[in-house]
Amino acid sequence: MRAVLVSEPGPPSNLTIGPVPTPDPGPDEVRVRVQATALNRADTFQRKGHYPPPEGASDILGLEMAGTVDATGPGVVDWSAGDRVCALLSGGGYAEYAVVHKDLLMALPPGLSMEEAAAIPEVFLTAFQALHWLGDLGTGDHVLIHAGASGVGTAAIQLTTAAEAHPYITASAPKHDLCRSLGAEATIDYTTEDFAAQVPRLTDGQGVNLILDFIGAPYVQGNIDSLAMDGRIIQLATLGGATVEQFSLRDLMAKRARLIATTLRSRSLAYKVKLTQDFASYAMPRFVDGTLQPVIDSVMDWTDVAAAHQRMENNENAGKIVLRVAP
């Protein structure tokens, strides 16, 4: 089969398409003919040599895909050749075929295209985990979502709205309209506004109950200042830096706050299976009725993968960048 290869760690121009062995499904595994995959920040870090895959995972880029079942391994009875599926992966999505555990597959709802389906697994599972499993999202909660126009951000806005909670976002001004269209009740331009100064106005001085943060060190104090009593911060990434020069733990204690750091790629199979099943049960009917929708910035042929990575690194995208894999 063909796959996207990294000639050596470095810039997007080091991405090429070349031949690799076609994987065979083992016990309880399914091989999927990939028709679409999507970009994630982790892909750009791995391309640079900074984010190796977990032990035993494919070293090919790509954390999600959509396609049709091509072959099944021993012990698989729930899936058959031709089934339309999508899945979260630990790696291997930028290829013509991917092997995945049978319990990580999600059946595509009627009417959902492969490109739309490829834009769902990583961002929606990440947002669902952060909001519901870790963040204890409740009806009426006030939620601050940083990087609101990112893939995870656009998913989180919708999931927050579906839970009858109140989403507020930070993003650059040109991306505010998209976020509002998805349900954001307030938008903050992080380039010109101090989000911590805006939150009291939005919450009648109470602060937000839950924060999803991808930025890290520069936002730590602002996040704490923005919290309501018993508030929760879910740390999903450190795009702005990981080392905090100084902050007081007493500020966290004064608000009885919780700071929860998390990753998803390195989680156990059992954890991912349970998360996938909980999410599919909750969300797939909502994709059918339109409550939830994949948000796609652009669809590009996978031969343009270098340009797709450059677009993401330039922060030009709002929503997911999807790669259509040639038949």
Side-chain angles (χ1 to χ4, degrees):
M1 70 172 186
R2 293 177 299 161
V4 173
L5 307 176
V6 182
S7 60
E8 61 178 341
S13 57
N14 289 1
L15 296 172
T16 61
I17 293 179
V20 297
T22 302
D24 291 318
D28 294 326
E29 290 183 333
V30 172
R31 185 171 67 203
V32 177
R33 173 67 178 90
V34 178
Q35 293 181 249
T37 185
L39 271 64
N40 293 283
R41 285 281 177 182
D43 301 336
T44 66
F45 297 145
Q46 183 175 335
R47 188 202 72 232
K48 296 174 184 177
H50 301 323
Y51 191 37
E55 184 177 355
S58 171
D59 60 2
I60 296 170
L61 301 179
L63 301 181
E64 57 195 332
M65 61 80 200
T68 55
V69 172
D70 173 72
T72 58
V76 177
V77 296
D78 297 331
W79 302 102
S80 302
D83 287 345
R84 301 171 73 246
V85 296
C86 64
L88 180 75
L89 306 171
S90 295
Y94 289 19
E96 291 180 316
Y97 293 92
V99 166
V100 60
H101 191 279
K102 64 183 180 65
D103 294 331
L104 293 177
L105 291 175
M106 294 182 283
L108 267 58
L112 203 67
S113 71
M114 289 294 178
E115 291 80 9
E116 291 170 326
I120 291 174
E122 200 277 341
V123 295
F124 273 94
L125 283 166
T126 297
F128 185 81
Q129 175 200 218
L131 291 168
H132 288 282
W133 275 33
L134 303 176
D136 297 329
L137 177 65
T139 300
D141 276 356
H142 297 270
V143 183
L144 177 61
I145 302 164
H146 291 303
S150 66
V152 177
T154 56
I157 293 169
Q158 296 178 71
L159 289 169
T160 300
T161 301
E164 299 182 1
H166 305 284
Y168 314 125
I169 67 96
T170 64
S172 59
K175 301 179 180 181
H176 285 187
D177 286 346
L178 170 64
C179 295
R180 291 192 192 99
S181 73
L182 297 172
E185 296 181 14
T187 56
I188 301 167
D189 184 354
Y190 72 88
T191 67
T192 61
E193 297 177 288
D194 177 0
F195 69 86
Q198 298 297 317
V199 165
R201 175 181 61 82
L202 300 172
T203 61
D204 294 326
Q206 298 302 304
V208 294
N209 308 102
L210 179 59
I211 297 175
L212 303 193
D213 182 40
F214 309 84
I215 309 304
Y219 280 12
V220 168
Q221 190 62 55
N223 285 339
I224 296 172
D225 293 343
S226 299
L227 281 181
M229 291 296 292
D230 300 304
R232 292 86 67 195
I233 302 170
I234 311 300
Q235 197 71 49
L236 294 166
T238 55
L239 297 176
T243 301
V244 182
E245 295 298 329
Q246 183 176 350
F247 81 98
S248 174
L249 289 173
R250 289 181 179 178
D251 292 341
L252 282 173
M253 296 171 68
K255 292 189 174 181
R256 299 191 299 266
R258 283 178 280 166
L259 172 57
I260 303 170
T262 185
T263 60
L264 183 53
R265 189 182 193 185
S266 59
R267 295 278 191 178
S268 69
L269 174 61
Y271 183 98
K272 292 178 182 178
V273 166
K274 181 65 165 61
L275 179 64
T276 297
Q277 293 174 345
D278 278 6
F279 169 76
S281 176
Y282 174 86
M284 285 307 177
R286 289 172 167 82
F287 283 111
V288 175
D289 68 20
T291 303
L292 300 176
Q293 58 179 301
V295 179
I296 295 177
D297 169 81
S298 51
V299 177
M300 306 173 72
D301 190 87
W302 74 322
T303 58
D304 295 322
V305 61
H309 270 236
Q310 192 64 63
R311 179 173 179 79
M312 173 168 279
E313 294 192 330
N314 291 345
N315 293 317
E316 295 171 352
N317 62 299
K320 296 287 288 184
I321 300 173
V322 175
L323 298 178
R324 184 184 292 118
V325 181

